[in-house]
Structure formats: structure tokens, C-alpha cells
Amino acid sequence: MSKMHVKLTVNGREVEGLAEPRTLLIHFLRENLRITGPHIGCETSHCGACTVDIDGKSVKSCTVFVAQANGADVTTVEGLVNEDGSLGVIQEMFREHHGLQCGFCTPGMITRAHRLLQENPSPTEEEVRFGMAGNLCRCTGYQNIVKAILASADMLNAQKEAAE
Amino acid sequence: MIPAGFEYHRPTDTASAISILQEHGDEARVIAGGHSLIPMMKLRMADLAHVIDLQDIQEMKGIEIGADSVTLGAMVTQHELITHDGLAAAVPIIREAALQIADPQVRYVGTIGGNVANGDPGNDMPGLMQCLDASFELVGPDGTRTVAAREFYEAAYFTARDDEEILTRIMIPVPIAGTGQAYEKQKRKIGDYATAAAAVMVGNGAASVAMTNLADTPIWSAEASAALAGGDVEGCVAAMLDAIDPVEDNRGPVEFKKHVAAVMLRRAIARAVSRAG
């Protein structure tokens, strides 16, 4: 099968490459672009470790062909740091509240939490759990992930208020 | 995990998509959200030489709310079904059911058209569309035809859609005011297909009842619907238990599934009745 030319914006940067259409976006990110934060935890689209943000939507990048993502705007966990390279709010809160152990689900969790808080800036605990249900974690038991996301919401809302 | 190679097409209108289907016959398939097809391709259970991506076809997008009917473009995502206020007001059961399908990520990309066209009895929307008496618009080389959801499903993965046709739109009659609706689903965990699920619409002397994943197709029952319309809940449950034909799998044996089916149906009826009037 012939390769196709693909062009994406990833974490604000335009990138191009050659790939077979069957290449999954997760593999293109990890292997072609060496963006290895998003992980692969399954082959049945359940675990969400590969979650990235595509055109304002949380998407499991193991279930998107790079051909389909051609032209898209993609954000990964690497793109969620502050401009000065320090941790973003959600990343900082995962650290603060012990929302990770092995760290394998964390990039997907944080990228999903980023979108969840864009859509629902002040979620209840139940809304966080339901909104994160596409992301599996084997280590934490979720409790501290929920705390981290609720704390992130508070902090982001406080920042927004201070800016106004 | 690794799908076989294919040629990729991204047409911008339905007619072009159909001509690609015609050219390549059963070597080609359309891809909508891709969240049933890509998993099958990754397991090499679907092996296609040509994949036709529908994402740039604007005429398959959008939600139109009319006085008597709602029209959903086949490429409308579950996320759009959930977040569309007009749809939640006109036919609230759609949002209720969509929130029980898969998980947030899958709902951002999975489409209503893909859900109803897939033909997997595990999908939730087919039974719901039968309950609502929706119809599906199919466009093919010879033009456009409409098939009732209640006539569409023939067996697991077999539907009334011909290979060279694309399901482009879904038309749903708006239930009359005062009709109570409920979608009740028993599942093992988030994202699981139903052990049993019931879609119920009742009120104004009418009723409609359909169930999910209890046979090789969704099951709408005229007898169960008529019984419920007459206020006979036990008659409705008995007629539905007669109509379903579950098989044993890791969600449980046949007897358990029948038990859960009756529980789901009774709960859905109770909730729909409480919302009617």
C-alpha cells in the first residue's frame, strides 16, 4: 500500500510526514513524531491511555487512522505544560493529590480531564467520574484522580476570576 | 492491533462516495466514526481494500427539529445528540440512551448512522429507533429509498441496506406532547453492550416497546406495545419475553437474560409512565 502525505498541527506546531493510511494516529504520534506521552493499553478501544484532543474533542488515538486525522489540530499531554515549561494546572494537581502511580494512564487521564473541564468547568464528583469513564487506571483506584480534577477545576476557576 | 493495508478515500459528497462503493464492490466500506469498524479491522475480522471516509460530507451532518419530525444526519455524533438542546426537548429518550452508550471519547466520534447501520445487536440505537418508529434514508446508485427501522434488521450484521447503498439520514416522528419515554439498560460496566435494555414510549392511549441485545436483531413487539397501550404491564412483559430469543454468553445464561429483560422492561415502563401526562 502506498504511503500518503499527512500534515497535522500537534501541540501548536505544524508537522508533516509520510505514512500508510492504515497507520493508527497513536503510532504516528509515538513512532513518527516521537511524542511518546500517549500510551497503548489495549486493542479494543476501552482503556483511553491513548487519549488525545483532536479539534476540541477527546479521542482515543488508537481508533483513528492517521489518514482520518489528516489536517487535524491535535493536543497531547506534552502540549498541556505552561509556556515556560512548568506543569499545567491539571498536571500539578495530579502530582499534588497523588493522582498517579505507575503513570501509564496519566497522559490520557490528563488530556481527557483538560477537555472535560473545558466543557464543564465546575463538575460534581459524579460528573467527574462519569466524564472520565473512558479512561482506565490499574493503580490509583480513581479516588485521587477525582480529587485532582476537582482541585484543578477550583484552581482554574480561581485563575479565571482573578484574570477578570 | 495492526489493521491490514487499504486505500483511503475522502469524498466530499454522497454521490462520490457511492461511485467509489460501486467501483470496488465488497472490497470497500464506508467509515463514519470508525469506533466499530476500526476495532474489527485491528482484529483482522474486517479486511478491506478500500476505506471511504464520510467525515467531509456536509449533507450527512446536522440535526433538524421540525414540528412533526426530527431528522438526524447519519454523521451526527453521540456527543451532538447529547448536547443538542432542541433534540432533548423534542425526543428526550435519545439523549437518555446516548448517555448510556460507550464512554465520552467514543461518543465524540461514534455516529448515530454508524450505530444503526452497523447491524450489531449490541448497539443501543437500533431498538430505540424501532421504539420511536424511525425510518432510515438509504441512498444508492439507483436513487433514494426509505426503510422503516422496524423492517431494517434481518440478522446479526445483516440489514436491508444493499452493499452499494449508504444510510444518510434518520427520520424520527416527534412523539405527541405528554408521551412518557425511558431507556433502561443493564450492563456490567461503562461502555459495555447491554445484558438487556428496554426502550419504552407510553401515553395518550398509545405505547411502543423495543428491546436491545436479546436476539440477533433488536426486537420491537406489536403485542407488547398493544398490551401496554391498554395499561396491561404484565401482558406487555409476557409478550416481550415471548418475542425475545437471547443466547448464552459471558453476560449470562438464557434464563438470567430473560429475568433481566423483564426487570429492565418493568423499570422502563414505570419511569416512562411517571413522565407521561
Side-chain angles (χ1 to χ4, degrees):
Chain A
M1 291 289 159
S2 54
K3 290 192 173 182
M4 64 184 286
H5 182 243
V6 290
K7 199 169 171 179
L8 306 168
T9 305
V10 181
N11 298 329
R13 194 166 58 91
E14 272 209 356
V15 294
E16 296 179 54
L18 282 176
E20 289 183 58
R22 67 166 172 162
T23 306
L24 297 167
L25 179 60
I26 184 66
H27 289 135
F28 188 76
L29 291 171
R30 291 179 54 85
E31 292 167 18
N32 293 53
L33 304 180
R34 304 290 174 192
I35 294 173
T36 56
H39 291 142
I40 299 169
C42 75
E43 56 174 4
T44 50
S45 311
H46 286 105
C47 79
C50 64
T51 299
V52 300
D53 205 80
I54 303 181
D55 296 329
K57 295 175 276 200
S58 296
V59 179
K60 296 179 179 181
S61 61
C62 77
T63 315
V64 182
F65 295 123
V66 72
Q68 294 172 285
N70 197 6
D73 189 348
V74 178
T75 302
T76 70
V77 72
E78 289 88 345
L80 296 176
V81 292
N82 296 325
E83 273 173 30
D84 64 1
S86 62
L87 295 182
V89 167
I90 303 173
Q91 295 168 336
E92 185 63 40
M93 289 300 102
F94 268 66
R95 190 193 66 78
E96 176 79 24
H97 292 273
H98 302 284
L100 69 151
Q101 290 178 31
C102 84
F104 197 85
C105 76
T106 313
M109 285 283 179
I110 287 177
T111 313
R112 170 60 195 143
H114 165 73
R115 180 53 46 198
L116 172 66
L117 294 179
Q118 300 281 314
E119 293 184 351
N120 183 357
S122 303
T124 63
E125 177 181 340
E126 190 182 348
E127 286 167 344
V128 169
R129 289 184 186 274
F130 189 72
M132 298 299 295
N135 294 75
L136 299 180
C137 173
R138 299 295 297 268
C139 300
T140 65
Y142 301 100
Q143 193 72 12
N144 286 352
I145 290 176
V146 175
K147 282 186 195 163
I149 294 170
L150 290 171
S152 302
D154 288 345
M155 191 152 289
L156 289 166
N157 289 335
Q159 282 183 1
K160 222 183 294 168
E161 240 171 70
E164 275 165 9
Chain B
M1 186 73 188
I2 309 298
F6 56 80
E7 295 287 337
Y8 174 77
H9 309 263
R10 200 194 279 196
T12 54
D13 58 79
T14 308
S16 309
I18 289 162
S19 68
I20 302 166
L21 272 179
Q22 272 189 288
E23 189 181 337
H24 300 292
D26 59 12
E27 299 225 303
R29 279 277 286 281
V30 299
I31 188 166
H35 275 50
S36 296
L37 185 60
I38 295 176
M40 295 296 265
M41 294 173 76
K42 286 163 67 174
L43 297 168
R44 304 269 176 142
M45 291 167 82
D47 190 359
L48 305 165
H50 296 270
V51 168
I52 307 164
D53 187 347
L54 304 178
Q55 71 170 297
D56 284 347
I57 302 182
Q58 292 305 319
E59 64 218 45
M60 288 192 208
K61 297 181 183 176
I63 296 172
E64 292 165 41
I65 313 284
D68 304 322
S69 86
V70 164
T71 303
L72 307 174
M75 290 295 285
V76 168
T77 64
Q78 305 287 351
H79 182 77
E80 291 170 318
L81 295 178
I82 291 165
T83 52
H84 192 281
D85 290 338
L87 183 63
V91 196
I93 194 175
I94 295 176
R95 179 174 195 273
E96 183 173 84
L99 281 166
Q100 298 177 58
I101 294 173
D103 61 49
Q105 288 94 318
V106 176
R107 292 193 291 264
Y108 280 108
V109 277
T111 64
I112 177 76
N115 193 298
V116 298
N118 188 28
D120 187 329
N123 287 115
D124 290 287
M125 287 295 177
L128 175 55
M129 292 301 132
Q130 292 191 336
C131 174
L132 290 167
D133 199 15
S135 49
F136 303 149
E137 180 185 88
L138 301 168
V139 180
D142 304 325
T144 300
R145 66 188 178 113
T146 301
V147 178
R150 292 174 188 172
E151 309 285 327
F152 187 72
Y153 298 94
E154 295 164 358
Y157 300 104
F158 284 91
T159 67
R161 186 184 63 81
D162 292 334
D163 282 347
E164 293 178 354
E165 288 180 318
I166 298 176
L167 193 156
T168 50
R169 297 199 303 170
I170 294 151
M171 287 79 69
I172 301 164
V174 173
I176 40 178
T179 304
Q181 308 166 21
Y183 193 77
E184 194 80 41
K185 177 177 177 179
Q186 169 68 47
K187 56 185 195 276
R188 297 170 301 177
K189 57 184 179 349
I190 283 279
D192 193 23
Y193 282 149
T195 303
V200 170
M201 223 171 35
V202 64
N204 305 298
S208 178
V209 181
M211 295 200 77
T212 295
N213 216 14
L214 293 161
D216 63 354
T217 63
I219 298 290
W220 177 81
S221 165
E223 293 76 17
S225 301
L228 183 60
D232 178 8
V233 173
E234 287 316 305
C236 171
V237 173
M240 184 54 91
L241 288 178
D242 241 15
I244 60 174
D245 184 21
V247 291
E248 175 167 346
D249 59 17
N250 52 12
R251 292 186 182 87
V254 171
E255 277 312 301
F256 175 70
K257 289 190 173 185
K258 286 186 174 174
H259 173 76
V260 178
V263 172
M264 289 302 105
L265 184 51
R266 286 197 185 94
R267 285 185 191 169
I269 290 169
R271 225 147 36 81
V273 166
S274 77
R275 291 167 174 173

